[in-house]
Amino acid sequence: MPGEFTLIDRYFARPTPSAVLGPGDDCALVQPTPGKQLAVTTDMLVAGTHFFPDTDPERLGWKALAVNLSDLAAMGATPRWVTLAGALPTVDEAWLAKFATGFFACAERFGVDVIGGDTTRGPLNLCITAMGEVAPGQALTRSGAQTGDLIWVSGRPGLAALGLAHLQGRVALPEPWPRLCVTQLEKPQPRVALGQALVGLASAAIDVSDGLLADLGHIAERSGCAAAVRLVQLPHLPKGAEYNADLRRIALECQLAGGDDYELCFTAPGSATQAIGQLAARLDLPLWCIGEMHAGEAGNVTVFDPDGKPVSFEQTGYDHFAHG
């Protein structure tokens, strides 16, 4: 059975042209671009919590990196370097080869170098640290929203949670939604180009990882204001002959509180609406205006039905500890 360093060399040692010194020493050495700040984020993916143990390893490799790049996208940062640490229950070289294929495909797609990491034996657990660059004072944060700003979200939040519900047998999705939703769950697309384009345009931003309402609530709390979301302005989800009341209810819950979408939710003044529309066309990415920020209790998010009446939801997002 190959040892730890053999596995690293075989599957994860790749050229790192952007690093001064890549894997092989006690530390990697990187040289940030002069005049830039470093943005650093770390995420863990744990088998049984963030993904099914039998998830396709190539897709898992992609997602493990993509969710970290999504955090950089939310700050408007340019991805540069990543490290990967993982606990593996056994040495399965076929699994490792496929995982590495997906991981490095994502790295190549978004122009990042894998500059180090670690492996150990244990329950399947993946931990990635990603580093990016942003001009001083230009990073998008959660605290910049102003009363009167409009609320936007990219893509179609809810698809990933619907994909999970489909795999768990909690919902039967009409065609062609199953493949679309499961792909969104297993191979999310970090909105790096959108985040970079929103610098100087958006007032605040966050990536939707724990649920749209919960993550929007973080913007509202950090910005010291409240948020209103209009159901009639949300993106459309599955429709068709099998789109019954039960599916409609589950789809709405997934859209507002499901999480795992890795779309960007952001705020911007009304004067930016035309520029945002042009940006959507340029990126070929739907951008939806779903509500507005207003004066009120900091962090409060209210959802309004088509008649303008507030609607309450038992859950607004995912909490690892609340879910035991």
Side-chain angles (χ1 to χ4, degrees):
M1 179 181 295
E4 173 185 358
F5 298 108
T6 299
L7 291 175
I8 292 173
D9 288 340
R10 185 173 296 171
Y11 298 107
F12 297 102
R14 308 286 175 96
T16 55
S18 68
V20 177
L21 181 67
D25 277 74
D26 290 307
C27 297
L29 299 176
V30 296
Q31 178 62 58
T33 303
K36 297 287 188 178
Q37 293 178 331
L38 279 180
V40 182
T41 181
T42 299
D43 267 315
M44 286 192 295
L45 278 78
V46 180
T49 299
H50 299 95
F51 60 92
F52 294 114
D54 61 352
T55 296
D56 176 74
E58 186 170 339
R59 284 193 167 188
L60 179 59
W62 174 284
K63 183 173 183 176
L65 179 52
V67 300
N68 283 264
L69 300 186
S70 181
D71 284 331
L72 295 180
M75 302 288 286
T78 299
R80 294 295 308 278
W81 307 285
V82 299
T83 64
L84 166 65
L88 304 171
T90 60
V91 174
D92 183 338
E93 291 199 65
W95 189 96
L96 280 171
K98 291 181 179 179
F99 177 87
T101 295
F103 192 87
F104 281 99
C106 189
E108 181 178 356
R109 167 65 180 80
F110 293 98
V112 299
D113 282 344
V114 182
I115 59 173
D118 191 25
T119 59
T120 189
R121 182 186 295 274
L124 185 56
N125 178 16
L126 305 162
C127 183
I128 291 89
T129 295
M131 290 157 274
E133 295 180 330
V134 64
Q138 294 299 302
L140 299 172
T141 68
R142 303 175 182 185
S143 60
Q146 302 288 323
T147 298
D149 280 356
L150 299 180
I151 303 166
W152 298 80
V153 70
S154 65
R156 294 184 182 274
L159 294 186
L162 274 172
L164 177 60
H166 177 78
L167 292 176
Q168 292 175 329
R170 294 188 290 115
V171 64
L173 293 173
E175 293 294 342
W177 291 93
R179 182 174 58 84
L180 177 65
C181 292
V182 172
T183 297
Q184 183 68 21
L185 172 68
E186 296 182 345
K187 194 176 180 181
Q189 301 297 315
R191 302 304 186 185
V192 172
L194 173 61
Q196 293 171 339
L198 288 175
V199 171
L201 191 63
S203 55
I206 191 172
D207 78 322
V208 182
S209 57
D210 293 325
L212 179 57
L213 295 185
D215 289 320
L216 175 57
H218 295 320
I219 289 180
E221 182 178 11
R222 293 295 299 275
S223 297
C225 49
V229 173
R230 313 288 174 180
L231 287 181
V232 294
Q233 296 175 218
L234 292 172
H236 301 302
L237 284 179
K239 290 185 176 180
E242 301 170 28
Y243 189 63
N244 53 35
D246 190 47
L247 176 55
R248 183 162 55 248
R249 175 185 58 81
I250 294 174
L252 183 59
E253 291 174 354
C254 288
Q255 188 170 53
L256 294 176
D260 231 15
D261 295 297
Y262 303 101
E263 297 291 351
L264 295 189
C265 177
F266 61 96
T267 60
S271 58
T273 298
Q274 182 176 356
I276 291 172
Q278 294 170 342
L279 178 59
R282 177 164 64 85
L283 297 179
D284 192 24
L285 175 65
L287 300 176
W288 310 83
C289 178
I290 62 171
E292 66 280 337
M293 307 300 292
H294 62 88
E297 180 183 352
N300 183 60
V301 179
T302 305
V303 180
F304 293 93
D305 68 13
D307 296 322
K309 298 178 181 178
V311 183
S312 61
F313 292 87
E314 184 177 343
Q315 285 187 299
T316 59
Y318 187 84
D319 184 312
H320 291 279
F321 295 98
H323 286 73

